[in-house]
């Protein structure tokens, strides 16, 4: 008996530590989850505001179900207003407008066609009605589904086409058994319209999040990331304390990588921005498409940076010994430093021009300087045969020259954006008149009258 009792006590003592470890892991996981939630909210406080807006909108439309007079008017169809809010409410105002208007128009058109199909099919008798309704559903569903493969329809009206198929099928099929079809269709269209209107009011007038503004800032931010990479190249590779052997793990070698995966976000923001009304400095017909063109060129530049980054990382591991003379090395290093510096400055100016919506006049000077440095470097690489003994340096210089060409294309695209969007000119001085100084006055003083 004593042996059995001792074995039980040992077993219990072994279980309790495991239980304690389990609770410790649960506590650690819960605390980690809370920290993650806090970080998400702190990164963009608008996310918390959006969550509150969705809760507020659902609470408002649910009154259709709670208030008896309203429920008597709409019946069980009141629940469609709640469902509409759940599927329509998006983070950005443009996203809500896109889905809301798609759902509203698709519901009205499909509902009307469904009622019309019912009246036409009813003329064929009870047996012919079912056959004709099935034929209508087949034809419209097949045609609408095929239209989703059209790029323009897919980009802007895909959700609306889906709702059209759903609504027409529900109305047409249910019309065979439902007696008061028009009343049912009217109630559903009305409640869906109420849901869409509530979503639009909340999204547009309660701390709106504009997709166009986010797209505008995202393109400028991506330019800054490319500039940070080039500034790191200038300092770490061609500066006074340059050291190729310690490049691996440097932050500047990773800063551009988020740009490579930005296409999906840019396309989505651009699509939603086209639905938004004029707001801030953005007109209704703002050239959002040009932002996609600029973004595409930025990603091409980031891809070239990825090739350069990979080569620099492998270059730092091989630790090659240079055979070229010191004067030639200095000439190449100076040209590469100038290309990196001027290219980074050009990207900074382009980013600043987009943020402030001003013409990027200073960026052209930096691009010209970088292009000139790249041309001088090509001359050195083509004329001096000994430079090819330093293959690694020649490869880095060539990749940098390719980056300069990419940045030149980005600058041209931003210039086009500035022209289409009518960015403000930075030339604030239009005319200046120099007044002569009288002899009695101090000769070192010159009075200049500036009139705009």
């Amino acid at each position: 008996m004593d042996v059995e009792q001792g074995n039980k006590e040992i077993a219990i003592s072994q279980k309790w530590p495991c239980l304690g470890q389990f609770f410790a892991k649960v506590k650690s996981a819960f605390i980690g989850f809370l920290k993650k939630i806090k970080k998400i909210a702190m990164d963009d406080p608008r996310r918390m505001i959006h969550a509150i807006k969705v809760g507020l909108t659902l609470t408002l439309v649910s009154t259709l179900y709670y208030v008896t007079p309203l429920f008597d008017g709409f019946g069980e169809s009141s629940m469609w207003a709640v469902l509409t809010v759940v599927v329509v409410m998006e983070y950005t105002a443009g996203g809500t407008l896109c889905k809301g208007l798609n759902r509203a128009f698709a519901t009205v058109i499909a509902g009307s066609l469904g009622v019309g199909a019912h009246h036409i099919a009813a003329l064929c008798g009870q047996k012919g009605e079912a056959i004709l309704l099935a034929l209508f559903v087949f034809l419209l569903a097949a045609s609408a589904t095929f239209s989703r493969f059209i790029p323009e329809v897919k980009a802007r009206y895909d959700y609306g086409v889906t709702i059209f198929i759903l609504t027409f099928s529900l109305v047409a099929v249910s019309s065979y058994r439902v007696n008061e079809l028009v009343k049912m269709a009217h109630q559903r269209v009305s409640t869906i319209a109420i849901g869409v209107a509530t979503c639009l009011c909340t999204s547009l007038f309660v701390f709106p999040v504009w997709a166009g503004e986010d797209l505008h800032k995202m393109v400028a931010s991506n330019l800054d990331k490319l500039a940070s990479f080039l500034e790191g190249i200038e300092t770490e590779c061609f500066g006074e304390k340059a050291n190729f052997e310690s490049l691996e793990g440097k932050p500047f070698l990773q800063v551009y990588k988020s740009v490579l995966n930005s296409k999906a976000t840019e396309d989505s923001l651009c699509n939603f921005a086209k639905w938004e009304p004029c707001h801030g400095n953005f007109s209704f017909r703002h050239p959002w498409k040009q932002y996609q063109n600029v973004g595409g060129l930025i990603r091409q530049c980031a891809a070239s940076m990825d090739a350069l980054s990979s080569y620099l990382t492998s270059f730092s591991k091989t630790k090659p010994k240079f055979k070229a003379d010191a004067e030639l090395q200095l000439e190449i290093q100076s040209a590469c430093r100038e290309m990196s510096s001027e290219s980074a400055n050009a990207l900074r100016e382009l980013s600043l021009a987009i943020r402030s919506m001003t013409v990027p006049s200073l960026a052209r000077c930096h691009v010209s300087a970088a292009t000139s440095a790249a041309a001088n470097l090509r001359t050195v690489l083509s004329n001096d045969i000994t430079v090819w003994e330093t293959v690694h340096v020649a490869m880095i210089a060539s990749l940098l020259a390719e980056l300069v060409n990419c940045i030149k294309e980005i600058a041209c695209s931003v210039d086009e954006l500035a022209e289409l969007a009518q960015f403000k000119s930075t030339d604030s001085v239009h005319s200046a008149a120099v007044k002569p100084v009288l002899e009695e006055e101090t000769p070192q003083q010159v009075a200049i009258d500036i009139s705009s």
Side-chain angles (χ1 to χ4, degrees):
M1 289 292 292
D2 294 338
V3 174
E4 292 180 358
Q5 185 68 23
N7 291 337
K8 289 181 180 179
E9 291 178 357
I10 293 172
I12 292 173
S13 64
Q14 290 176 347
K15 289 181 180 178
W16 279 112
C18 295
L19 190 61
Q21 292 176 2
F22 171 75
F23 281 117
K25 289 181 179 179
V26 171
K27 181 181 178 181
S28 177
F30 182 71
I31 293 174
F33 176 74
L34 290 179
K35 289 181 178 179
K36 186 177 182 180
I37 294 296
K38 182 180 178 181
K39 184 179 182 302
I40 292 174
M42 294 295 290
D43 288 344
D44 191 351
R46 298 179 303 173
R47 295 168 179 167
M48 186 66 70
I49 296 174
H50 173 68
I52 295 173
K53 285 162 61 176
V54 173
L56 174 63
T57 309
L58 281 172
T59 303
L60 289 174
V61 297
S62 62
T63 56
L64 294 176
Y65 211 84
Y66 298 145
V67 180
T68 303
L70 294 177
F71 181 79
D72 292 339
F74 296 105
E76 295 292 337
S77 297
S78 301
M79 192 55 65
W80 284 91
V82 177
L83 295 175
T84 298
V85 172
V86 174
V87 298
V88 165
M89 197 72 176
E90 288 287 331
Y91 178 63
T92 62
T96 304
L97 273 166
C98 175
K99 296 188 75 172
L101 295 179
N102 267 280
R103 184 175 181 85
F105 284 107
T107 301
V108 171
I109 295 172
S112 303
L113 291 176
V115 173
H118 164 69
H119 287 299
I120 294 174
L123 300 176
C124 300
Q126 187 173 3
K127 294 182 179 180
E129 181 180 2
I131 297 174
L132 200 57
L133 284 173
L135 180 61
F136 284 148
V137 170
F138 170 76
L139 291 175
L140 265 75
S143 302
T145 301
F146 182 79
S147 70
R148 297 177 65 188
F149 293 104
I150 302 173
E152 292 79 8
V153 175
K154 182 72 175 177
R156 303 194 66 181
Y157 309 110
D158 186 65
Y159 179 71
V161 174
T162 303
I163 295 300
F164 174 86
I165 297 171
L166 173 65
T167 304
F168 179 80
S169 300
L170 287 175
V171 173
V173 173
S174 61
S175 67
Y176 189 70
R177 300 291 182 184
V178 176
N179 294 325
E180 298 180 352
L181 178 64
V182 176
K183 181 180 178 181
M184 181 197 73
H186 178 265
Q187 288 178 340
R188 289 191 179 180
V189 169
S190 300
T191 52
I192 289 173
I194 291 173
V196 169
T198 308
C199 287
L200 294 181
C201 290
T202 306
S203 185
L204 291 174
F205 302 115
V206 182
F207 299 104
V209 177
W210 302 108
E213 186 177 344
D214 282 359
L215 176 62
H216 184 83
K217 292 179 179 178
M218 182 180 183
V219 172
S221 176
N222 286 343
L223 287 171
D224 283 330
K225 292 175 182 178
L226 301 190
S228 297
F229 174 82
L230 289 171
E231 288 169 352
I233 291 289
E234 178 195 359
T235 304
E236 301 291 339
C237 299
F238 305 110
E240 295 180 358
K241 299 180 180 180
N243 185 6
F244 280 99
E245 298 180 5
S246 60
L247 288 179
E248 191 173 8
K250 291 287 185 179
F252 79 91
L253 293 175
Q254 308 294 327
V255 71
Y256 67 89
K257 291 196 173 180
S258 61
V259 178
L260 295 171
N261 302 318
S262 62
K263 178 175 172 52
T265 305
E266 279 185 8
D267 290 346
S268 177
L269 290 174
C270 181
N271 181 37
F272 292 154
K274 293 175 181 177
W275 291 87
E276 293 176 346
C278 56
H279 56 278
N281 294 322
F282 308 105
S283 61
F284 181 69
R285 304 297 296 177
H286 196 75
W288 300 115
K289 182 69 177 176
Q290 186 61 24
Y291 284 88
Q292 286 183 299
N293 298 335
V294 175
L297 293 173
I298 290 174
R299 282 188 294 276
Q300 290 180 20
C301 188
S304 299
M305 288 182 176
D306 193 43
L308 178 57
S309 175
S310 300
Y311 192 83
L312 286 173
T313 303
S314 61
F315 177 79
S316 64
K317 293 178 181 178
T318 55
K319 301 177 183 179
K321 294 182 180 180
F322 305 123
K323 298 180 182 180
D325 60 87
E327 184 179 352
L328 180 60
Q329 289 185 37
L330 184 62
E331 191 173 357
I332 295 175
Q333 185 178 1
S334 177
C336 290
R337 182 170 60 250
E338 186 177 0
M339 280 193 294
S340 302
S341 174
E342 294 295 341
S343 297
N345 290 336
L347 290 171
R348 291 290 186 194
E349 289 295 335
L350 291 173
S351 174
L352 179 62
I354 290 178
R355 291 182 191 277
S356 60
M357 301 189 75
T358 56
V359 177
S361 54
L362 291 177
R364 299 166 192 158
C365 301
H366 294 299
V367 170
S368 299
T371 305
S372 177
N376 294 336
L377 183 61
R378 290 193 191 96
T379 304
V380 173
L381 294 177
S382 59
N383 294 341
D384 201 318
I385 190 66
T386 60
V387 76
W388 294 107
E389 298 177 8
T390 316
V391 178
H392 292 282
V393 176
M395 180 61 72
I396 294 173
S398 299
L399 291 173
L400 271 175
E402 183 181 347
L403 278 178
V404 172
N405 291 331
C406 291
I407 293 169
K408 187 176 180 180
E409 292 181 8
I410 293 174
C412 292
S413 187
V414 173
D415 282 338
E416 186 176 353
L417 172 63
E419 182 180 353
L420 293 173
Q422 297 180 349
F423 283 4
K424 295 176 294 184
S425 175
T426 54
D427 299 329
S428 58
V429 179
H430 299 285
S431 62
V434 180
K435 295 181 179 179
V437 182
L438 299 177
E439 294 181 357
E440 303 84 45
E441 298 178 359
T442 307
Q444 286 83 3
Q445 295 178 347
V446 179
I448 300 178
D449 179 29
I450 299 176
S451 58
S452 57

